[in-house]
Coordinates of all heavy atoms in Angstrom, one line a residue:
M22 N 0.8 -1.2 0.0 CA 0.0 0.0 0.0 C 0.9 1.2 0.0 O 1.8 1.3 0.8 CB -0.9 0.0 1.3 CG -1.7 1.3 1.4 SD -2.7 1.3 2.9 CE -4.1 0.4 2.4
R23 N 0.6 2.2 -0.9 CA 1.3 3.4 -0.9 C 0.8 4.4 0.2 O -0.3 4.2 0.6 CB 1.1 4.1 -2.3 CG 1.6 3.2 -3.5 CD 1.7 4.0 -4.7 NE 2.6 5.1 -4.6 CZ 3.7 5.2 -5.3 NH1 4.1 4.3 -6.1 NH2 4.5 6.2 -5.1
I24 N 1.6 5.4 0.5 CA 1.1 6.3 1.5 C -0.1 7.0 1.1 O -1.1 7.3 1.9 CB 2.3 7.4 1.8 CG1 3.5 6.7 2.4 CG2 1.8 8.5 2.7 CD1 4.7 7.6 2.5
S25 N -0.2 7.4 -0.2 CA -1.5 8.0 -0.8 C -2.7 7.1 -0.6 O -3.8 7.6 -0.3 CB -1.3 8.3 -2.3 OG -0.4 9.2 -2.5
E26 N -2.5 5.8 -0.7 CA -3.6 4.9 -0.6 C -4.0 4.8 0.9 O -5.2 4.7 1.2 CB -3.3 3.5 -1.1 CG -3.1 3.5 -2.6 CD -2.4 2.2 -3.1 OE1 -1.7 1.5 -2.3 OE2 -2.6 1.9 -4.3
A27 N -3.0 4.8 1.8 CA -3.3 4.8 3.2 C -4.1 6.1 3.6 O -5.0 6.1 4.4 CB -2.0 4.7 4.0
Q28 N -3.7 7.2 3.0 CA -4.4 8.5 3.3 C -5.8 8.5 2.8 O -6.7 8.9 3.5 CB -3.6 9.7 2.6 CG -4.1 11.0 3.0 CD -3.2 12.2 2.7 OE1 -2.0 12.0 2.5 NE2 -3.7 13.4 2.6
E29 N -6.0 7.8 1.6 CA -7.4 7.7 1.1 C -8.2 6.8 2.1 O -9.4 7.1 2.4 CB -7.4 7.1 -0.3 CG -7.0 8.0 -1.4 CD -6.8 7.3 -2.7 OE1 -7.3 6.2 -2.9 OE2 -6.0 7.9 -3.5
L30 N -7.6 5.7 2.6 CA -8.3 4.8 3.5 C -8.7 5.5 4.8 O -9.9 5.4 5.2 CB -7.5 3.6 3.8 CG -8.0 2.6 4.7 CD1 -9.3 1.9 4.2 CD2 -7.0 1.4 5.0
I31 N -7.8 6.3 5.3 CA -8.1 7.0 6.6 C -9.2 8.0 6.3 O -10.0 8.3 7.2 CB -6.8 7.6 7.2 CG1 -5.8 6.5 7.7 CG2 -7.1 8.6 8.2 CD1 -6.4 5.7 8.8
R32 N -9.1 8.7 5.1 CA -10.2 9.7 4.8 C -11.5 9.0 4.8 O -12.5 9.5 5.3 CB -9.9 10.3 3.5 CG -10.9 11.4 3.1 CD -10.7 11.9 1.6 NE -9.3 12.2 1.4 CZ -8.6 11.7 0.3 NH1 -9.2 11.0 -0.6 NH2 -7.3 12.0 0.2
E33 N -11.6 7.8 4.2 CA -12.9 7.1 4.1 C -13.4 6.7 5.5 O -14.6 6.7 5.7 CB -12.7 5.8 3.2 CG -12.6 6.1 1.7 CD -12.2 4.9 0.9 OE1 -12.3 3.8 1.3 OE2 -11.7 5.2 -0.3
I34 N -12.4 6.2 6.3 CA -12.8 5.8 7.7 C -13.2 6.9 8.6 O -14.2 6.9 9.3 CB -11.7 4.9 8.3 CG1 -11.4 3.7 7.5 CG2 -12.1 4.5 9.7 CD1 -10.2 2.9 8.0
Y35 N -12.4 8.0 8.6 CA -12.5 9.0 9.6 C -12.7 10.5 9.1 O -12.8 11.4 9.9 CB -11.2 9.1 10.5 CG -11.0 7.8 11.2 CD1 -9.9 7.0 11.0 CD2 -11.9 7.4 12.2 CE1 -9.7 5.8 11.7 CE2 -11.6 6.2 13.0 CZ -10.5 5.4 12.7 OH -10.3 4.3 13.4
G36 N -12.7 10.6 7.7 CA -12.7 12.0 7.2 C -13.8 12.8 7.7 O -13.6 14.0 8.1
E37 N -15.0 12.3 7.8 CA -16.2 13.1 8.3 C -15.9 13.5 9.8 O -16.1 14.7 10.1 CB -17.5 12.3 8.2 CG -18.7 13.2 8.3 CD -20.0 12.3 8.1 OE1 -19.9 11.4 7.3 OE2 -21.0 12.7 8.7
K38 N -15.5 12.6 10.6 CA -15.2 12.9 12.0 C -14.1 13.9 12.1 O -14.1 14.8 12.9 CB -14.9 11.7 12.8 CG -16.0 10.8 13.1 CD -15.6 9.6 14.0 CE -16.8 8.7 14.3 NZ -16.5 7.6 15.1
D39 N -13.0 13.7 11.3 CA -11.9 14.6 11.3 C -12.3 16.0 11.0 O -11.9 17.0 11.6 CB -10.8 14.1 10.4 CG -10.1 12.9 10.9 OD1 -10.2 12.5 12.1 OD2 -9.4 12.2 10.0
R40 N -13.1 16.2 9.9 CA -13.5 17.5 9.5 C -14.4 18.2 10.6 O -14.3 19.4 10.8 CB -14.3 17.4 8.2 CG -13.4 17.2 7.0 CD -14.2 17.3 5.6 NE -15.2 16.3 5.5 CZ -14.9 15.0 5.0 NH1 -13.7 14.7 4.7 NH2 -15.9 14.1 4.9
G41 N -15.2 17.4 11.3 CA -16.0 17.9 12.4 C -15.2 18.4 13.5 O -15.5 19.4 14.2
R42 N -14.1 17.7 13.8 CA -13.2 17.9 15.0 C -12.3 19.1 14.6 O -11.9 19.9 15.5 CB -12.4 16.7 15.3 CG -11.6 16.8 16.5 CD -10.7 15.6 16.7 NE -11.3 14.3 16.5 CZ -11.2 13.5 15.5 NH1 -10.4 13.8 14.5 NH2 -11.8 12.4 15.4
G43 N -11.8 19.2 13.4 CA -10.9 20.3 13.0 C -9.5 19.9 13.2 O -9.1 18.9 13.9
I44 N -8.6 20.8 12.7 CA -7.2 20.6 12.8 C -6.6 20.5 14.2 O -5.9 19.6 14.6 CB -6.4 21.7 12.1 CG1 -6.8 21.8 10.6 CG2 -4.9 21.6 12.2 CD1 -6.0 21.0 9.6
R45 N -7.0 21.5 15.0 CA -6.5 21.6 16.4 C -6.8 20.4 17.2 O -6.0 19.8 17.9 CB -6.9 22.9 17.1 CG -6.4 24.1 16.4 CD -6.9 25.4 17.1 NE -6.4 25.5 18.4 CZ -5.4 26.3 18.8 NH1 -4.7 26.9 17.9 NH2 -5.0 26.4 20.0
G46 N -8.1 20.0 17.2 CA -8.5 18.8 17.9 C -7.9 17.5 17.4 O -7.5 16.6 18.2
T47 N -7.7 17.4 16.1 CA -7.0 16.3 15.5 C -5.6 16.2 15.9 O -5.0 15.2 16.2 CB -7.3 16.3 14.0 OG1 -8.7 16.3 13.8 CG2 -6.7 15.0 13.3
A48 N -4.9 17.4 15.9 CA -3.5 17.5 16.3 C -3.3 17.1 17.7 O -2.3 16.4 18.1 CB -3.0 18.9 16.1
L49 N -4.3 17.4 18.6 CA -4.2 16.9 20.0 C -4.2 15.4 20.1 O -3.5 14.8 20.9 CB -5.4 17.5 20.8 CG -5.3 18.9 21.3 CD1 -6.7 19.3 21.9 CD2 -4.2 19.1 22.3
H50 N -5.1 14.8 19.2 CA -5.1 13.3 19.2 C -3.7 12.8 18.8 O -3.2 11.7 19.3 CB -6.2 12.8 18.3 CG -7.5 12.8 18.9 ND1 -7.9 11.9 19.9 CD2 -8.6 13.6 18.7 CE1 -9.1 12.2 20.3 NE2 -9.6 13.2 19.6
L51 N -3.1 13.4 17.8 CA -1.7 13.0 17.4 C -0.8 13.0 18.6 O 0.0 12.1 18.8 CB -1.2 13.8 16.2 CG 0.2 13.5 15.8 CD1 0.4 12.1 15.3 CD2 0.7 14.5 14.7
G52 N -0.9 14.1 19.3 CA 0.0 14.3 20.5 C -0.2 13.2 21.5 O 0.7 12.6 22.1
E53 N -1.5 12.9 21.8 CA -1.8 11.8 22.7 C -1.2 10.5 22.2 O -0.7 9.7 23.0 CB -3.3 11.6 22.8 CG -4.0 12.6 23.8 CD -5.5 12.4 23.8 OE1 -6.0 11.2 23.4 OE2 -6.2 13.3 24.1
E54 N -1.4 10.2 20.9 CA -0.9 8.9 20.4 C 0.7 8.9 20.5 O 1.2 7.8 20.7 CB -1.3 8.7 18.9 CG -2.8 8.3 18.8 CD -3.1 7.0 19.5 OE1 -2.2 6.2 19.7 OE2 -4.3 6.9 19.9
M55 N 1.3 10.0 20.3 CA 2.8 10.1 20.5 C 3.1 9.6 21.9 O 4.1 8.9 22.1 CB 3.3 11.5 20.2 CG 3.2 11.9 18.7 SD 4.2 11.0 17.6 CE 5.8 11.5 18.1
G56 N 2.4 10.1 22.9 CA 2.6 9.7 24.3 C 2.4 8.2 24.4 O 3.2 7.6 25.1
E57 N 1.4 7.7 23.8 CA 1.2 6.2 23.9 C 2.3 5.4 23.2 O 2.7 4.4 23.7 CB -0.2 5.8 23.3 CG -1.3 6.3 24.1 CD -2.7 6.0 23.6 OE1 -2.8 5.1 22.7 OE2 -3.7 6.7 24.0
L58 N 2.9 6.0 22.1 CA 4.0 5.4 21.5 C 5.2 5.3 22.4 O 5.9 4.3 22.5 CB 4.3 6.1 20.1 CG 5.6 5.6 19.4 CD1 5.5 4.1 19.1 CD2 5.8 6.3 18.1
F59 N 5.5 6.5 23.1 CA 6.6 6.5 24.0 C 6.4 5.5 25.1 O 7.4 4.8 25.5 CB 6.7 7.9 24.7 CG 7.2 9.0 23.7 CD1 6.6 10.2 23.6 CD2 8.3 8.7 22.9 CE1 7.1 11.2 22.7 CE2 8.8 9.7 22.0 CZ 8.2 10.9 21.9
R60 N 5.2 5.3 25.6 CA 4.9 4.3 26.7 C 5.2 2.9 26.1 O 5.8 2.0 26.8 CB 3.5 4.4 27.2 CG 3.4 5.5 28.2 CD 2.1 5.5 29.0 NE 0.9 5.8 28.2 CZ 0.6 7.1 27.9 NH1 1.3 8.1 28.3 NH2 -0.5 7.3 27.1
A61 N 4.7 2.7 24.8 CA 4.9 1.4 24.2 C 6.4 1.1 24.0 O 6.9 -0.1 24.2 CB 4.2 1.3 22.9
L62 N 7.2 2.1 23.8 CA 8.7 1.9 23.6 C 9.3 1.4 24.9 O 10.2 0.6 25.0 CB 9.4 3.2 23.2 CG 9.2 3.6 21.7 CD1 9.6 5.0 21.5 CD2 9.9 2.6 20.8
R63 N 8.7 1.9 26.1 CA 9.2 1.5 27.4 C 8.8 0.0 27.6 O 9.6 -0.8 28.2 CB 8.7 2.4 28.5 CG 9.5 3.7 28.6 CD 9.3 4.3 30.0 NE 7.9 4.5 30.3 CZ 7.3 5.7 30.2 NH1 7.9 6.7 29.7 NH2 6.0 5.9 30.5
S64 N 7.6 -0.4 27.2 CA 7.1 -1.7 27.5 C 7.8 -2.8 26.6 O 7.9 -3.9 27.0 CB 5.6 -1.8 27.2 OG 5.3 -1.9 25.8
N65 N 8.3 -2.4 25.4 CA 9.0 -3.3 24.5 C 8.1 -4.5 24.1 O 8.6 -5.5 23.8 CB 10.3 -3.8 25.1 CG 11.3 -4.1 24.1 OD1 11.3 -3.5 23.0 ND2 12.2 -5.0 24.4
D66 N 6.8 -4.2 24.1 CA 5.8 -5.3 23.6 C 5.5 -5.0 22.1 O 5.0 -4.0 21.8 CB 4.5 -5.1 24.5 CG 3.3 -5.9 24.0 OD1 3.3 -6.3 22.8 OD2 2.4 -6.0 24.8
E67 N 5.9 -6.0 21.3 CA 5.9 -5.7 19.9 C 4.5 -5.5 19.4 O 4.2 -4.6 18.5 CB 6.5 -6.9 19.1 CG 6.7 -6.5 17.6 CD 7.1 -7.6 16.7 OE1 7.8 -8.5 17.1 OE2 6.7 -7.6 15.5
G68 N 3.5 -6.2 19.9 CA 2.1 -6.0 19.5 C 1.6 -4.6 19.8 O 1.0 -4.0 18.9
N69 N 2.0 -4.2 20.9 CA 1.6 -2.8 21.3 C 2.3 -1.8 20.5 O 1.7 -0.8 20.1 CB 1.9 -2.6 22.8 CG 1.3 -1.4 23.4 OD1 0.4 -0.8 22.9 ND2 1.8 -1.0 24.6
L70 N 3.6 -2.0 20.2 CA 4.4 -1.1 19.4 C 3.8 -1.0 18.0 O 3.7 0.1 17.4 CB 5.8 -1.5 19.3 CG 6.7 -1.3 20.5 CD1 8.0 -2.1 20.5 CD2 7.0 0.2 20.6
R71 N 3.4 -2.1 17.4 CA 2.8 -2.1 16.1 C 1.5 -1.3 16.1 O 1.3 -0.5 15.1 CB 2.5 -3.5 15.6 CG 3.7 -4.4 15.4 CD 3.4 -5.8 15.1 NE 2.7 -6.0 13.9 CZ 3.2 -6.3 12.7 NH1 4.5 -6.5 12.7 NH2 2.5 -6.5 11.7
E72 N 0.7 -1.4 17.1 CA -0.6 -0.7 17.2 C -0.3 0.8 17.3 O -0.9 1.6 16.6 CB -1.4 -1.1 18.4 CG -2.1 -2.4 18.2 CD -2.9 -2.7 19.5 OE1 -3.2 -1.8 20.3 OE2 -3.3 -3.9 19.6
E73 N 0.6 1.2 18.2 CA 0.9 2.6 18.4 C 1.5 3.3 17.2 O 1.2 4.4 16.9 CB 1.7 2.8 19.7 CG 1.0 2.3 21.0 CD -0.4 2.8 21.2 OE1 -0.7 3.9 20.6 OE2 -1.2 2.2 21.9
L74 N 2.4 2.6 16.5 CA 3.0 3.2 15.3 C 2.0 3.4 14.3 O 1.9 4.4 13.6 CB 4.1 2.2 14.8 CG 5.4 2.2 15.6 CD1 6.3 1.0 15.1 CD2 6.2 3.5 15.4
A75 N 1.0 2.4 14.1 CA 0.0 2.5 13.1 C -1.0 3.7 13.5 O -1.4 4.5 12.6 CB -0.8 1.2 13.0
D76 N -1.2 3.9 14.8 CA -2.1 4.9 15.2 C -1.5 6.3 15.0 O -2.2 7.2 14.5 CB -2.4 4.8 16.7 CG -3.4 3.7 17.0 OD1 -3.9 3.1 16.1 OD2 -3.5 3.3 18.2
V77 N -0.2 6.4 15.2 CA 0.5 7.7 15.0 C 0.4 8.1 13.5 O 0.1 9.2 13.1 CB 2.0 7.7 15.4 CG1 2.8 8.8 14.9 CG2 2.0 7.7 17.0
L78 N 0.7 7.1 12.6 CA 0.6 7.3 11.2 C -0.9 7.7 10.8 O -1.1 8.6 10.0 CB 1.0 6.1 10.4 CG 0.9 6.2 8.9 CD1 1.8 7.4 8.4 CD2 1.4 4.9 8.2
A79 N -1.9 7.0 11.4 CA -3.3 7.3 11.0 C -3.6 8.8 11.3 O -4.2 9.5 10.5 CB -4.2 6.3 11.8
W80 N -3.2 9.2 12.5 CA -3.5 10.6 12.9 C -2.7 11.6 12.0 O -3.2 12.7 11.7 CB -3.2 10.8 14.4 CG -4.2 10.2 15.3 CD1 -4.1 9.2 16.1 CD2 -5.6 10.7 15.4 NE1 -5.3 8.9 16.8 CE2 -6.2 9.8 16.4 CE3 -6.4 11.7 14.9 CZ2 -7.6 9.9 16.7 CZ3 -7.7 11.8 15.2 CH2 -8.3 10.9 16.2
L81 N -1.5 11.2 11.7 CA -0.7 12.1 10.8 C -1.4 12.2 9.4 O -1.4 13.3 8.9 CB 0.7 11.5 10.7 CG 1.8 12.4 10.1 CD1 2.0 13.7 10.9 CD2 3.1 11.6 10.1
L82 N -1.9 11.1 9.0 CA -2.6 11.1 7.7 C -3.9 11.9 7.8 O -4.2 12.7 6.8 CB -2.9 9.7 7.2 CG -1.7 8.9 6.8 CD1 -2.0 7.4 6.7 CD2 -1.0 9.4 5.6
S83 N -4.6 11.9 8.9 CA -5.8 12.7 9.1 C -5.5 14.1 9.0 O -6.2 14.9 8.4 CB -6.4 12.4 10.5 OG -7.2 11.2 10.5
I84 N -4.4 14.6 9.7 CA -4.0 16.0 9.7 C -3.6 16.4 8.3 O -4.0 17.5 7.8 CB -2.9 16.2 10.7 CG1 -3.4 16.0 12.1 CG2 -2.3 17.6 10.5 CD1 -2.3 16.0 13.2
S85 N -2.8 15.6 7.6 CA -2.4 15.9 6.2 C -3.7 16.1 5.4 O -3.7 17.0 4.6 CB -1.6 14.7 5.7 OG -0.5 14.5 6.5
D86 N -4.7 15.2 5.5 CA -5.9 15.3 4.7 C -6.7 16.5 5.0 O -7.2 17.2 4.1 CB -6.7 14.0 4.9 CG -7.4 13.6 3.6 OD1 -6.6 13.3 2.7 OD2 -8.6 13.6 3.6
L87 N -6.8 16.9 6.3 CA -7.5 18.1 6.7 C -6.8 19.3 6.0 O -7.5 20.3 5.7 CB -7.5 18.3 8.2 CG -8.5 17.4 8.9 CD1 -8.3 17.5 10.4 CD2 -10.0 17.7 8.5
L88 N -5.5 19.3 5.9 CA -4.8 20.4 5.3 C -4.7 20.3 3.7 O -4.1 21.1 3.1 CB -3.3 20.4 5.8 CG -3.2 20.7 7.3 CD1 -1.8 20.4 7.8 CD2 -3.6 22.2 7.6
S89 N -5.4 19.3 3.2 CA -5.4 19.0 1.7 C -4.0 18.9 1.2 O -3.6 19.3 0.1 CB -6.1 20.1 1.0 OG -7.4 20.2 1.4
I90 N -3.1 18.2 2.0 CA -1.7 17.9 1.6 C -1.6 16.4 1.4 O -2.0 15.6 2.3 CB -0.7 18.4 2.7 CG1 -0.7 20.0 2.7 CG2 0.6 17.8 2.5 CD1 0.1 20.6 3.8
N91 N -1.1 16.0 0.3 CA -0.8 14.6 0.0 C 0.5 14.3 0.6 O 1.5 14.8 0.2 CB -0.8 14.4 -1.5 CG -0.5 13.0 -1.9 OD1 0.5 12.4 -1.4 ND2 -1.2 12.5 -2.9
L92 N 0.4 13.5 1.7 CA 1.7 13.2 2.5 C 2.7 12.5 1.7 O 3.9 12.7 1.9 CB 1.3 12.5 3.8 CG 2.5 12.3 4.8 CD1 3.0 13.7 5.2 CD2 2.0 11.6 6.0
E93 N 2.3 11.6 0.8 CA 3.2 10.9 0.0 C 4.1 11.9 -0.9 O 5.3 11.8 -1.0 CB 2.5 9.9 -0.9 CG 3.5 9.1 -1.8 CD 2.8 8.0 -2.5 OE1 1.9 7.3 -2.0 OE2 3.2 7.7 -3.7
E94 N 3.4 12.8 -1.5 CA 4.1 13.9 -2.3 C 5.0 14.7 -1.4 O 6.1 15.0 -1.8 CB 3.1 14.8 -3.0 CG 2.3 14.1 -4.1 CD 1.2 14.9 -4.7 OE1 1.1 16.1 -4.4 OE2 0.4 14.4 -5.5
A95 N 4.5 15.1 -0.3 CA 5.3 16.0 0.6 C 6.5 15.2 1.1 O 7.6 15.8 1.2 CB 4.4 16.4 1.8
F96 N 6.3 14.0 1.4 CA 7.5 13.2 1.9 C 8.5 13.0 0.8 O 9.7 13.2 1.1 CB 7.0 11.8 2.3 CG 8.0 10.9 3.0 CD1 8.3 11.0 4.3 CD2 8.7 10.0 2.2 CE1 9.3 10.3 4.9 CE2 9.7 9.2 2.8 CZ 10.0 9.4 4.1
L97 N 8.1 12.8 -0.4 CA 9.0 12.6 -1.5 C 9.7 13.9 -1.8 O 10.9 13.9 -2.1 CB 8.3 12.1 -2.8 CG 8.0 10.6 -2.8 CD1 7.2 10.2 -4.0 CD2 9.4 9.8 -2.9
E98 N 9.0 15.0 -1.8 CA 9.6 16.3 -2.0 C 10.7 16.5 -1.0 O 11.8 17.1 -1.3 CB 8.6 17.5 -1.8 CG 7.7 17.6 -3.0 CD 6.5 18.5 -2.7 OE1 6.6 19.3 -1.7 OE2 5.5 18.4 -3.4
R99 N 10.5 16.1 0.3 CA 11.4 16.4 1.4 C 12.6 15.4 1.4 O 13.7 15.7 1.6 CB 10.6 16.3 2.7 CG 11.4 16.6 3.9 CD 11.6 18.0 4.2 NE 12.2 18.3 5.5 CZ 13.1 19.2 5.7 NH1 13.4 20.1 4.8 NH2 13.6 19.4 6.9
Y100 N 12.3 14.1 1.2 CA 13.3 13.0 1.4 C 13.6 12.2 0.1 O 14.5 11.4 0.2 CB 12.8 12.1 2.5 CG 12.8 12.7 3.9 CD1 11.5 13.1 4.4 CD2 13.9 12.9 4.6 CE1 11.5 13.8 5.6 CE2 13.9 13.5 5.8 CZ 12.7 14.0 6.3 OH 12.6 14.6 7.6
G101 N 12.9 12.5 -1.0 CA 13.1 11.7 -2.2 C 14.5 11.7 -2.7 O 15.0 10.7 -3.4
E102 N 15.3 12.8 -2.5 CA 16.6 12.9 -3.0 C 17.7 12.6 -1.9 O 18.8 12.9 -2.1 CB 16.9 14.3 -3.6 CG 15.9 14.7 -4.7 CD 16.0 13.8 -5.9 OE1 17.2 13.5 -6.3 OE2 15.0 13.4 -6.5
G103 N 17.2 12.1 -0.7 CA 18.1 11.9 0.4 C 17.9 12.8 1.5 O 16.9 13.5 1.6
C104 N 18.9 12.9 2.4 CA 18.8 13.8 3.6 C 18.6 15.3 3.1 O 19.3 15.8 2.2 CB 20.1 13.7 4.4 SG 20.2 15.0 5.7
P105 N 17.5 16.0 3.6 CA 17.3 17.3 3.2 C 18.4 18.3 3.5 O 18.5 19.3 2.8 CB 16.0 17.7 4.0 CG 15.4 16.5 4.5 CD 16.6 15.5 4.6
K106 N 19.3 18.0 4.5 CA 20.3 18.9 4.9 C 21.6 18.6 4.0 O 22.2 19.6 3.5 CB 20.7 18.7 6.4 CG 19.6 19.3 7.3 CD 20.0 19.2 8.7 CE 18.8 19.6 9.6 NZ 18.9 19.1 11.0
C107 N 22.0 17.4 3.9 CA 23.3 17.1 3.3 C 23.1 16.5 1.8 O 24.0 16.5 1.1 CB 24.2 16.2 4.1 SG 23.6 14.5 4.2
G108 N 21.9 16.1 1.5 CA 21.6 15.6 0.2 C 22.1 14.2 0.0 O 22.1 13.7 -1.2
S109 N 22.6 13.5 1.0 CA 23.2 12.2 0.8 C 22.3 11.1 1.2 O 21.4 11.3 2.1 CB 24.5 12.1 1.6 OG 25.4 13.0 1.0
I110 N 22.5 9.9 0.6 CA 21.9 8.6 1.1 C 23.0 7.6 1.2 O 23.6 7.3 0.2 CB 20.8 8.1 0.0 CG1 19.7 9.1 -0.3 CG2 20.2 6.8 0.5 CD1 18.8 8.7 -1.4
P111 N 23.3 7.2 2.4 CA 22.8 7.6 3.7 C 23.3 9.0 4.1 O 24.2 9.5 3.5 CB 23.3 6.6 4.7 CG 24.5 6.1 4.2 CD 24.4 6.1 2.6
C112 N 22.6 9.6 5.1 CA 22.9 10.9 5.6 C 24.4 11.0 6.1 O 24.9 10.0 6.7 CB 22.0 11.2 6.8 SG 22.5 12.7 7.7
K113 N 25.1 12.1 5.7 CA 26.5 12.2 6.1 C 26.6 13.4 7.1 O 27.7 13.9 7.4 CB 27.4 12.5 4.9 CG 27.5 11.3 4.0 CD 28.5 11.4 2.9 CE 28.7 10.2 2.2 NZ 28.2 10.2 0.8
C114 N 25.5 13.9 7.6 CA 25.5 15.0 8.6 C 26.2 14.5 9.9 O 26.1 13.4 10.3 CB 24.1 15.5 9.0 SG 23.2 16.2 7.6
P115 N 27.0 15.4 10.5 CA 27.6 15.0 11.8 C 26.5 14.8 12.8 O 25.5 15.5 12.8 CB 28.5 16.2 12.2 CG 28.0 17.4 11.4 CD 27.3 16.8 10.1
E116 N 26.7 13.8 13.7 CA 25.7 13.5 14.8 C 25.6 14.7 15.7 O 26.6 15.4 16.0 CB 26.1 12.3 15.6 CG 25.9 11.0 14.8 CD 24.5 10.6 14.6 OE1 23.7 10.9 15.5 OE2 24.2 10.0 13.6
V117 N 24.4 15.0 16.2 CA 24.3 16.0 17.2 C 23.9 15.4 18.6 O 23.2 14.4 18.6 CB 23.2 17.1 16.8 CG1 23.9 18.4 16.4 CG2 22.2 16.6 15.9
Ligands
LIG28 ZN1 22.4 14.6 6.3

């Protein structure tokens, strides 16, 4: 499945609810899911990690869709040629 297809699927499942909630409310849910992902990282439970990673992506896709931004295109514009800072694959930026 391509990122665009995932975005379409999330729009079909949640688009109406997302539009009703708006960007700010939807962004709050993304923040909550990030917190759950951090907790899952501590638990090291693979099933839980899979769920939380999928949830974070789903909320990110919801926000992208509310902004009428195709996340696949935006991602390719940003990372399609390698690291946005050094332009290399793999990245050759010094570690910070
Ligand atoms: Zn780099």
Side-chain angles (χ1 to χ4, degrees):
M22 175 184 275
R23 300 190 63 111
I24 296 170
S25 293
E26 293 167 337
Q28 188 165 339
E29 284 168 24
L30 177 61
I31 291 297
R32 183 189 312 131
E33 286 168 18
I34 300 173
Y35 298 114
E37 195 175 331
K38 287 184 177 177
D39 288 341
R40 285 187 295 277
R42 188 187 311 107
I44 300 268
R45 293 176 67 95
T47 302
L49 280 174
H50 280 285
L51 174 62
E53 278 177 25
E54 284 301 333
M55 292 293 290
E57 289 179 21
L58 175 57
F59 288 132
R60 280 192 289 282
L62 285 167
R63 281 201 302 265
S64 79
N65 209 28
D66 169 344
E67 191 189 330
N69 192 19
L70 282 165
R71 291 171 68 93
E72 282 181 19
E73 298 308 336
L74 286 166
D76 288 348
V77 166
L78 179 60
W80 285 111
L81 194 60
L82 291 168
S83 281
I84 292 170
S85 303
D86 216 61
L87 284 172
L88 294 167
S89 300
I90 289 171
N91 179 312
L92 188 57
E93 181 170 321
E94 290 174 8
F96 186 86
L97 280 173
E98 283 166 21
R99 182 81 173 144
Y100 293 101
E102 305 294 318
C104 171
K106 289 181 186 163
C107 68
S109 294
I110 302 176
C112 169
K113 294 189 172 111
C114 296
E116 286 292 326
V117 257

